[in-house]
Amino acid sequence: MRAHFVLSEISVGLRRNLTMTFAVIVSVALSLALLGGSLLARDQVSTMKGYWYDKVQVSIYLCNKNDAESDPNCSRGAVTEQQKQQIRTDLDKLDVVEKVYHESADEAYKHYKEQFKDSPLADSLTPDQMQESYRVKLKDPTKFKVINTAFSGRQGVQEVQDQRNLLENLFNLLNGMNVAALCVMALMLVVALLLIVNTVRVSAFSRRRETGIMRLVGASSFYIQLPFILEAAIAGLIGASFACVLLLGGKYFLIDNWLQEKILLINFIGWEEVAKVLPLILAVGMLMPAIAAFFALRKYLKV
Protein backbone atom coordinates (compact mmCIF):
# COMPACT_ATOMS: atom_id res chain seq x y z
CA MET A 1 0.00 0.00 0.00
CA ARG A 2 2.79 2.41 0.88
CA ALA A 3 4.64 1.66 -2.36
CA HIS A 4 1.43 2.24 -4.34
CA PHE A 5 0.93 5.58 -2.58
CA VAL A 6 4.50 6.70 -3.29
CA LEU A 7 4.22 5.75 -6.96
CA SER A 8 0.89 7.56 -7.30
CA GLU A 9 2.37 10.68 -5.72
CA ILE A 10 5.31 10.52 -8.15
CA SER A 11 2.90 10.25 -11.09
CA VAL A 12 0.87 13.20 -9.85
CA GLY A 13 3.97 15.32 -9.30
CA LEU A 14 5.36 14.62 -12.76
CA ARG A 15 2.04 15.47 -14.43
CA ARG A 16 1.51 18.69 -12.45
CA ASN A 17 4.96 20.06 -13.29
CA LEU A 18 5.29 18.66 -16.79
CA THR A 19 6.97 21.70 -18.37
CA MET A 20 9.51 22.13 -15.55
CA THR A 21 10.18 18.39 -15.54
CA PHE A 22 10.81 18.56 -19.28
CA ALA A 23 13.21 21.47 -18.73
CA VAL A 24 15.05 19.43 -16.07
CA ILE A 25 15.33 16.45 -18.43
CA VAL A 26 16.72 18.58 -21.26
CA SER A 27 19.20 20.40 -18.99
CA VAL A 28 20.43 17.17 -17.41
CA ALA A 29 20.71 15.49 -20.82
CA LEU A 30 22.77 18.31 -22.33
CA SER A 31 25.02 18.77 -19.31
CA LEU A 32 25.72 15.05 -18.94
CA ALA A 33 26.26 14.68 -22.68
CA LEU A 34 28.90 17.40 -22.39
CA LEU A 35 30.39 15.62 -19.38
CA GLY A 36 30.55 12.33 -21.26
CA GLY A 37 31.91 14.06 -24.35
CA SER A 38 34.63 15.74 -22.27
CA LEU A 39 35.65 12.43 -20.69
CA LEU A 40 35.78 10.77 -24.11
CA ALA A 41 37.72 13.72 -25.54
CA ARG A 42 40.28 13.31 -22.75
CA ASP A 43 40.59 9.62 -23.63
CA GLN A 44 40.92 10.53 -27.31
CA VAL A 45 43.76 12.96 -26.62
CA SER A 46 45.52 10.34 -24.49
CA THR A 47 45.08 7.75 -27.25
CA MET A 48 46.44 10.15 -29.85
CA LYS A 49 49.41 11.04 -27.67
CA GLY A 50 50.26 7.39 -27.14
CA TYR A 51 49.87 6.66 -30.85
CA TRP A 52 51.80 9.63 -32.23
CA TYR A 53 54.46 9.96 -29.54
CA ASP A 54 55.38 6.37 -30.28
CA LYS A 55 55.99 7.32 -33.92
CA VAL A 56 57.71 10.69 -33.63
CA GLN A 57 61.41 11.00 -34.27
CA VAL A 58 64.20 13.41 -33.52
CA SER A 59 65.73 14.78 -36.70
CA ILE A 60 69.39 15.82 -36.81
CA TYR A 61 69.80 17.98 -39.92
CA LEU A 62 73.31 18.17 -41.35
CA CYS A 63 74.89 21.19 -43.01
CA ASN A 64 75.17 21.32 -46.78
CA LYS A 65 77.07 23.75 -49.02
CA ASN A 66 74.20 26.22 -49.21
CA ASP A 67 73.83 26.26 -45.41
CA ALA A 68 77.54 27.02 -45.08
CA GLU A 69 76.95 30.31 -46.90
CA SER A 70 73.73 31.39 -45.20
CA ASP A 71 73.28 29.66 -41.81
CA PRO A 72 75.34 30.76 -38.77
CA ASN A 73 75.14 27.21 -37.39
CA CYS A 74 76.99 25.98 -40.47
CA SER A 75 79.58 28.74 -40.68
CA ARG A 76 82.39 26.17 -40.37
CA GLY A 77 81.35 24.50 -43.62
CA ALA A 78 79.33 21.56 -44.86
CA VAL A 79 79.37 18.32 -42.94
CA THR A 80 82.21 15.94 -43.77
CA GLU A 81 82.14 12.15 -44.02
CA GLN A 82 84.20 11.89 -40.84
CA GLN A 83 81.74 14.09 -38.95
CA LYS A 84 78.80 12.02 -40.21
CA GLN A 85 80.46 8.82 -39.09
CA GLN A 86 81.21 10.29 -35.68
CA ILE A 87 77.60 11.45 -35.24
CA ARG A 88 76.33 7.98 -36.17
CA THR A 89 78.77 6.31 -33.79
CA ASP A 90 77.77 8.60 -30.92
CA LEU A 91 74.07 7.98 -31.59
CA ASP A 92 74.55 4.21 -31.47
CA LYS A 93 76.23 4.53 -28.06
CA LEU A 94 73.27 6.32 -26.42
CA ASP A 95 70.95 4.13 -24.34
CA VAL A 96 67.90 6.28 -25.14
CA VAL A 97 68.21 5.58 -28.88
CA GLU A 98 66.14 2.72 -30.26
CA LYS A 99 66.92 3.05 -33.96
CA VAL A 100 68.70 5.45 -36.33
CA TYR A 101 67.72 6.10 -39.94
CA HIS A 102 69.89 8.01 -42.40
CA GLU A 103 68.21 10.10 -45.10
CA SER A 104 70.44 11.30 -47.91
CA ALA A 105 69.95 14.55 -49.80
CA ASP A 106 68.60 12.63 -52.81
CA GLU A 107 66.11 10.76 -50.62
CA ALA A 108 65.04 14.02 -48.95
CA TYR A 109 64.53 15.57 -52.41
CA LYS A 110 62.44 12.58 -53.53
CA HIS A 111 60.26 12.71 -50.40
CA TYR A 112 59.79 16.46 -50.80
CA LYS A 113 58.67 16.03 -54.42
CA GLU A 114 56.16 13.38 -53.34
CA GLN A 115 54.71 15.38 -50.45
CA PHE A 116 54.70 18.86 -52.04
CA LYS A 117 54.34 18.06 -55.73
CA ASP A 118 51.75 20.85 -56.15
CA SER A 119 53.95 23.49 -54.52
CA PRO A 120 55.38 26.15 -56.88
CA LEU A 121 58.74 25.77 -55.11
CA ALA A 122 59.01 22.07 -55.99
CA ASP A 123 60.34 22.73 -59.52
CA SER A 124 62.93 25.24 -58.36
CA LEU A 125 64.62 22.98 -55.80
CA THR A 126 67.54 20.69 -56.61
CA PRO A 127 68.90 17.69 -54.65
CA ASP A 128 72.02 19.57 -53.56
CA GLN A 129 69.80 22.11 -51.75
CA MET A 130 68.27 19.42 -49.56
CA GLN A 131 69.77 18.41 -46.23
CA GLU A 132 71.00 15.05 -45.15
CA SER A 133 69.64 14.01 -41.80
CA TYR A 134 69.62 11.33 -39.16
CA ARG A 135 66.13 10.34 -38.03
CA VAL A 136 66.36 9.03 -34.47
CA LYS A 137 63.64 6.93 -32.87
CA LEU A 138 63.85 7.12 -29.08
CA LYS A 139 62.84 4.47 -26.58
CA ASP A 140 61.20 7.26 -24.58
CA PRO A 141 60.06 10.23 -26.74
CA THR A 142 60.33 12.57 -23.74
CA LYS A 143 64.14 12.14 -23.68
CA PHE A 144 64.65 14.62 -26.52
CA LYS A 145 66.92 16.83 -24.39
CA VAL A 146 69.53 14.06 -24.29
CA ILE A 147 69.87 14.20 -28.09
CA ASN A 148 69.56 17.97 -28.23
CA THR A 149 72.30 18.48 -25.64
CA ALA A 150 74.64 15.98 -27.29
CA PHE A 151 74.38 17.22 -30.88
CA SER A 152 73.17 20.85 -30.97
CA GLY A 153 76.03 23.17 -31.90
CA ARG A 154 78.24 20.30 -33.05
CA GLN A 155 80.28 20.94 -36.17
CA GLY A 156 78.35 19.77 -39.23
CA VAL A 157 74.94 19.88 -37.48
CA GLN A 158 72.54 22.55 -38.69
CA GLU A 159 69.60 21.82 -36.35
CA VAL A 160 68.22 19.22 -33.97
CA GLN A 161 64.43 19.11 -34.28
CA ASP A 162 61.98 17.27 -32.04
CA GLN A 163 58.89 16.29 -34.04
CA ARG A 164 57.00 15.97 -30.75
CA ASN A 165 56.90 19.77 -30.51
CA LEU A 166 54.96 19.89 -33.77
CA LEU A 167 52.19 17.87 -32.12
CA GLU A 168 52.10 19.82 -28.87
CA ASN A 169 50.12 22.70 -30.41
CA LEU A 170 47.48 20.26 -31.65
CA PHE A 171 47.21 18.55 -28.28
CA ASN A 172 47.11 21.91 -26.47
CA LEU A 173 44.25 22.98 -28.76
CA LEU A 174 42.35 19.76 -28.06
CA ASN A 175 42.93 20.11 -24.31
CA GLY A 176 41.73 23.72 -24.46
CA MET A 177 38.56 22.65 -26.25
CA ASN A 178 38.07 19.97 -23.61
CA VAL A 179 38.41 22.53 -20.80
CA ALA A 180 35.90 24.80 -22.58
CA ALA A 181 33.45 21.88 -22.84
CA LEU A 182 33.89 21.17 -19.13
CA CYS A 183 33.16 24.82 -18.30
CA VAL A 184 29.98 24.76 -20.37
CA MET A 185 29.06 21.45 -18.73
CA ALA A 186 29.52 22.96 -15.27
CA LEU A 187 27.29 25.89 -16.22
CA MET A 188 24.63 23.52 -17.55
CA LEU A 189 24.80 21.47 -14.36
CA VAL A 190 24.22 24.59 -12.28
CA VAL A 191 21.20 25.44 -14.44
CA ALA A 192 19.91 21.88 -14.08
CA LEU A 193 20.35 21.98 -10.29
CA LEU A 194 18.46 25.28 -10.05
CA LEU A 195 15.64 23.85 -12.16
CA ILE A 196 15.53 20.73 -9.99
CA VAL A 197 15.34 22.76 -6.79
CA ASN A 198 12.59 25.01 -8.16
CA THR A 199 10.66 22.05 -9.55
CA VAL A 200 10.77 20.29 -6.19
CA ARG A 201 9.73 23.44 -4.32
CA VAL A 202 6.80 24.08 -6.69
CA SER A 203 5.73 20.45 -6.49
CA ALA A 204 5.89 20.46 -2.69
CA PHE A 205 3.98 23.75 -2.50
CA SER A 206 1.22 22.44 -4.78
CA ARG A 207 0.83 19.40 -2.51
CA ARG A 208 1.24 21.15 0.85
CA ARG A 209 -2.24 20.02 1.95
CA GLU A 210 -1.41 16.33 1.34
CA THR A 211 1.92 16.62 3.10
CA GLY A 212 0.26 18.37 6.04
CA ILE A 213 -2.22 15.51 6.39
CA MET A 214 0.61 12.99 6.20
CA ARG A 215 2.40 14.87 9.00
CA LEU A 216 -0.75 14.79 11.16
CA VAL A 217 -1.17 11.03 10.76
CA GLY A 218 2.42 10.43 11.89
CA ALA A 219 4.31 9.95 8.61
CA SER A 220 8.06 10.36 8.94
CA SER A 221 9.87 13.24 7.24
CA PHE A 222 11.74 10.90 4.92
CA TYR A 223 8.49 9.18 3.87
CA ILE A 224 7.00 12.59 3.05
CA GLN A 225 10.10 13.62 1.12
CA LEU A 226 10.48 10.32 -0.76
CA PRO A 227 8.02 11.03 -3.65
CA PHE A 228 9.70 14.36 -4.38
CA ILE A 229 13.17 12.82 -4.27
CA LEU A 230 12.11 10.00 -6.59
CA GLU A 231 10.47 12.46 -8.99
CA ALA A 232 13.77 14.31 -9.33
CA ALA A 233 15.71 11.04 -9.64
CA ILE A 234 13.41 9.76 -12.39
CA ALA A 235 13.64 13.03 -14.32
CA GLY A 236 17.42 12.97 -13.97
CA LEU A 237 17.60 9.32 -15.05
CA ILE A 238 15.54 10.08 -18.16
CA GLY A 239 17.86 12.99 -18.95
CA ALA A 240 20.92 10.76 -18.41
CA SER A 241 19.43 8.15 -20.74
CA PHE A 242 19.06 10.78 -23.45
CA ALA A 243 22.67 11.82 -22.81
CA CYS A 244 23.77 8.21 -23.31
CA VAL A 245 21.83 8.06 -26.57
CA LEU A 246 23.57 11.24 -27.73
CA LEU A 247 26.99 9.79 -26.89
CA LEU A 248 26.23 6.49 -28.63
CA GLY A 249 24.88 8.33 -31.66
CA GLY A 250 27.94 10.59 -31.74
CA LYS A 251 30.26 7.59 -31.62
CA TYR A 252 28.38 5.71 -34.37
CA PHE A 253 27.51 8.52 -36.79
CA LEU A 254 30.19 11.15 -36.16
CA ILE A 255 33.26 9.00 -35.44
CA ASP A 256 32.68 5.58 -37.00
CA ASN A 257 30.81 6.64 -40.13
CA TRP A 258 32.36 10.02 -40.86
CA LEU A 259 35.61 10.98 -39.12
CA GLN A 260 37.25 7.57 -39.49
CA GLU A 261 36.56 7.68 -43.21
CA LYS A 262 37.78 11.27 -43.61
CA ILE A 263 40.80 11.25 -41.26
CA LEU A 264 42.80 8.07 -41.65
CA LEU A 265 45.83 9.21 -39.64
CA ILE A 266 44.08 9.34 -36.25
CA ASN A 267 43.52 6.31 -34.06
CA PHE A 268 40.05 7.04 -32.68
CA ILE A 269 38.65 5.71 -29.40
CA GLY A 270 36.63 2.50 -29.49
CA TRP A 271 33.33 1.36 -28.03
CA GLU A 272 35.11 0.17 -24.87
CA GLU A 273 35.83 3.76 -23.81
CA VAL A 274 32.21 4.75 -24.48
CA ALA A 275 30.91 1.76 -22.49
CA LYS A 276 33.01 2.82 -19.48
CA VAL A 277 31.50 6.32 -19.47
CA LEU A 278 27.81 5.37 -19.74
CA PRO A 279 27.37 3.89 -16.20
CA LEU A 280 28.93 7.05 -14.73
CA ILE A 281 26.52 9.23 -16.72
CA LEU A 282 23.51 7.22 -15.53
CA ALA A 283 24.69 7.25 -11.91
CA VAL A 284 25.31 11.01 -11.90
CA GLY A 285 22.01 11.63 -13.68
CA MET A 286 20.07 9.75 -11.02
CA LEU A 287 21.96 10.72 -7.85
CA MET A 288 22.54 14.42 -8.54
CA PRO A 289 18.83 15.40 -8.79
CA ALA A 290 17.91 13.13 -5.87
CA ILE A 291 20.51 14.70 -3.57
CA ALA A 292 19.57 18.21 -4.75
CA ALA A 293 15.91 17.49 -4.02
CA PHE A 294 16.72 16.08 -0.59
CA PHE A 295 18.60 19.18 0.51
CA ALA A 296 16.09 21.53 -1.12
CA LEU A 297 13.27 20.02 0.89
CA ARG A 298 15.22 20.17 4.15
CA LYS A 299 16.56 23.69 3.77
CA TYR A 300 13.81 25.56 2.02
CA LEU A 301 10.53 23.75 2.59
CA LYS A 302 11.17 22.39 6.09
CA VAL A 303 8.77 19.55 5.50
Side-chain angles (χ1 to χ4, degrees), residues 52-63:
W52 285 108
Y53 280 174
D54 186 56
K55 297 182 181 300
V56 297
Q57 301 169 348
V58 175
S59 298
I60 302 176
Y61 292 101
L62 306 178
C63 297

Side-chain angles (χ1 to χ4, degrees), residues 196-212:
I196 291 166
V197 170
N198 286 332
T199 301
V200 170
R201 293 177 66 184
V202 169
S203 180
F205 181 79
S206 65
R207 283 181 281 171
R208 63 190 182 279
R209 182 178 178 182
E210 290 91 331
T211 56

Side-chain angles (χ1 to χ4, degrees), residues 139-152:
K139 296 176 182 177
D140 182 356
T142 63
K143 301 295 185 182
F144 161 72
K145 289 185 178 180
V146 175
I147 305 297
N148 188 43
T149 302
F151 296 96
S152 286

Side-chain angles (χ1 to χ4, degrees), residues 59-72:
S59 298
I60 302 176
Y61 292 101
L62 306 178
C63 297
N64 59 24
K65 293 180 180 180
N66 293 317
D67 293 329
E69 298 173 359
S70 59
D71 196 316

